[in-house]
């Protein structure tokens, strides 16, 4: 086979799960949907490629086990032209990770099948997950940087430079979409990210240009999505992958041009090395570039986490300081410790810190209030109530929050407790009166009973029935119910109060001794 007859070779390179195989499956989809951007008919895709398309549509893609998996396809330019045979080499992310982590060299005998494929490539497609966790990128970054340095020192002295086309592809851009995005808003979000990465790379290359090969790498940044997100304007349901046809059309074009240049050059190995070096620079810069764009991803994640904790700026203090504050404070403090916190806009950081401070002050005041002022629900004597009233007189909201907190739970509590004390006093008086009235009624019952000693059994039975109803009466209200006007105080506090308790003992004794005696008398006469 002459070099002209050799298929154009595109090599996919990227860390595990960065979307290499999906990108190839998407290419087949774009071809089948006759994507006009591809500007070519895709014919004879190999069974492996059709399988990838199938698995992509079922979301059943497996990680590549083989280090490299070549697939072939033919593209017939539209409206007509000579068909171009293309070999696309899928590769294993694990093998790429080994290279990046220096467990294996990029070129030479030990570089393995992936190293060979890179050496033969007419274009490289380097995939990076646009929606990856910042933590993952942060972990990969130092490894990539260290490896790159070593590689540059060891292998690239005096290398002649020729630009191997390098496409850095930000995959999974559908995951960047927000539910409220229209198609235009989503596309703008992707473009923003793409530009951020590209700018980061450009700056990096500009810095490295002196005496380095980096400045001459032919690098382009593209963004793709294997599937469309659901968008607010319903346009997400549109068929086909995003940005894939365009990527491959441009990539094939530059691969063809590179092949032409390479034919004229005599140092294929050197070029491959430069390409590889460029590739690794990109890997490094994916870190730099995406890192530069990461804050926005961090910000989005943090802002999501803050939802439900941070009150709206329009929220009233009572809403702002609604329970469960302990939990909110805990979550805020965890958020402040995350790496992304410092990436939030300064205004947002200040808002969080100021909210944290307010919640802390509120919780501290609440604690000192409860430590100092006994709870009226536990009061059993008049002295207890007097003490609570005195403590309430002595304590007031912190001056700087007095106005804002006056309608919060803590702000309203002193008055509510005063009101509860007043209700308690009233109800104690009423209950004493009720017991006294019951005792009077009991005396009447006692007298009636004594007069029945010589009466017929029916009259005695009738009295015994009234007696049972009388002793069955315990309290005027259920103990757990709240007296009218009370905030948190139930009748049980009233019934435990010493004056009520004493009255109750007198009554109990009356029931037991005096009425009990009459009952016995009448029962014996039956
Ligand atoms: N939402 C979304 N998921 C994607 C996209 N591309 C790939 N994925 C998912 O990401 C995971 C990994 O994708 P692959 O294409 O298998 O990644 P790979 O780079 O080939 O991985 P290895 O073969 O392990 O190196 C799969 O679960 C895919 O469904 C995309 O554009 N959008
Ligand atoms: Mg794969």
């Amino acid at each position: 086979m002459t070099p002209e007859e050799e298929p154009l070779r595109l090599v996919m390179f990227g860390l595990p799960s960065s979307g290499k195989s999906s990108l190839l499956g998407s290419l087949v989809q774009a071809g089948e949907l006759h994507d006009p951007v591809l500007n070519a008919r895709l014919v004879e895709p190999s069974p492996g490629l059709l399988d990838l398309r199938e698995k992509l549509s079922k979301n059943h893609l497996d990680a590549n086990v083989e280090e490299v998996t070549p697939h072939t396809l033919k593209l017939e330019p539209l409206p007509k032209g000579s068909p171009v045979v293309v070999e696309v080499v899928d590769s294993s992310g694990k093998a790429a990770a080994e290279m990046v982590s220096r467990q294996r060299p990029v070129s030479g005998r030990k570089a393995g099948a992936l190293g060979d494929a890179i050496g033969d490539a007419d274009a490289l497609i380097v995939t990076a997950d646009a929606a990856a966790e910042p933590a993952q990128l942060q972990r990969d970054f130092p490894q990539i940087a260290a490896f790159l340095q070593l590689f540059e020192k060891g292998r690239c002295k005096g290398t002649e430079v020729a630009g191997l086309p390098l496409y850095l592809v930000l995959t999974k851009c559908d995951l960047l979409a927000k539910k409220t995005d229209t198609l235009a808003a989503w596309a703008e979000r992707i473009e923003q990210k793409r530009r951020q990465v590209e700018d980061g790379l450009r700056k990096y290359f500009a810095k490295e240009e002196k005496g380095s090969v980096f400045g001459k790498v032919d690098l382009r940044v593209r963004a793709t999505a294997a599937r469309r997100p659901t968008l607010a304007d319903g346009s997400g349901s549109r068929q086909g992958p995003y940005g894939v046809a365009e990527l491959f059309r441009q990539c094939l074009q530059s691969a063809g041009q590179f092949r032409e240049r390479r034919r004229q050059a005599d140092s294929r190995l050197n070029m491959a090395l430069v390409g590889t070096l460029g590739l690794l620079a990109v890997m490094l810069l994916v870190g730099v570039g995406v890192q530069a764009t990461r804050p926005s991803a961090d910000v989005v994640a943090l802002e999501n986490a803050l939802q439900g904790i941070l009150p709206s700026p329009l929220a009233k203090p009572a809403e702002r300081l609604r329970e469960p504050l302990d939990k909110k404070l805990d979550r805020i403090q965890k958020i402040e410790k995350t790496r992304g916190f410092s990436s939030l806009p300064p205004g947002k950081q200040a808002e969080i810190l100021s909210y944290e401070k307010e919640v802390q002050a509120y919780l501290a005041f609440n604690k000192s209030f409860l430590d100092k002022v006994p709870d009226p629900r536990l009061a059993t004597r008049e002295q207890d109530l007097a003490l609570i009233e005195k403590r309430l007189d002595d304590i007031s909201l912190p001056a700087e929050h007095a106005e804002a907190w006056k309608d919060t739970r803590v702000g309203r509590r002193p008055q509510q407790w005063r009101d509860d004390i007043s209700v308690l006093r009233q109800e104690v008086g009423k209950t004493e009166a009720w017991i006294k009235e019951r005792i009077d009624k009991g005396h009447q019952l006692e007298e009636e009973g004594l007069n029945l000693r010589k009466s017929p059994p029916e009259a005695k039975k009738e009295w015994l029935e009234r007696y049972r109803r009388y002793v069955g009466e315990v309290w005027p209200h259920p103990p757990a119910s709240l007296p009218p006007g009370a905030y948190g105080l139930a009748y049980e506090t009233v019934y435990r109060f010493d004056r009520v308790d004493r009255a109750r003992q007198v009554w109990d004794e009356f029931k037991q001794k005096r009425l009990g005696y009459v009952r016995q008398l009448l029962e014996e006469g039956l």
Side-chain angles (χ1 to χ4, degrees), residues 17 19-22 52 61-64 90-93:
S17 286
K20 301 176 289 296
S21 306
S22 302
L52 281 183
L61 277 160
D62 303 316
N64 285 51
D90 194 6
S91 66
S92 120

Side-chain angles (χ1 to χ4, degrees), residues 338-352:
T338 60
R339 206 181 35 249
F341 180 74
S342 56
S343 317
L344 287 171
K348 191 58 133 190
Q349 289 183 38
E351 190 187 331
I352 296 168

Side-chain angles (χ1 to χ4, degrees), residues 182 256-257 279 282 304 320 525:
T182 57
Q257 289 162 358
L279 160 72
V282 171
N304 285 342
R320 218 167 53 221

Side-chain angles (χ1 to χ4, degrees), residues 96-110:
E98 281 170 12
M99 282 187 174
V100 167
S101 65
R102 286 194 283 153
Q103 286 161 20
R104 76 152 94 180
V106 175
S107 59
R109 211 165 38 84
K110 290 192 180 151

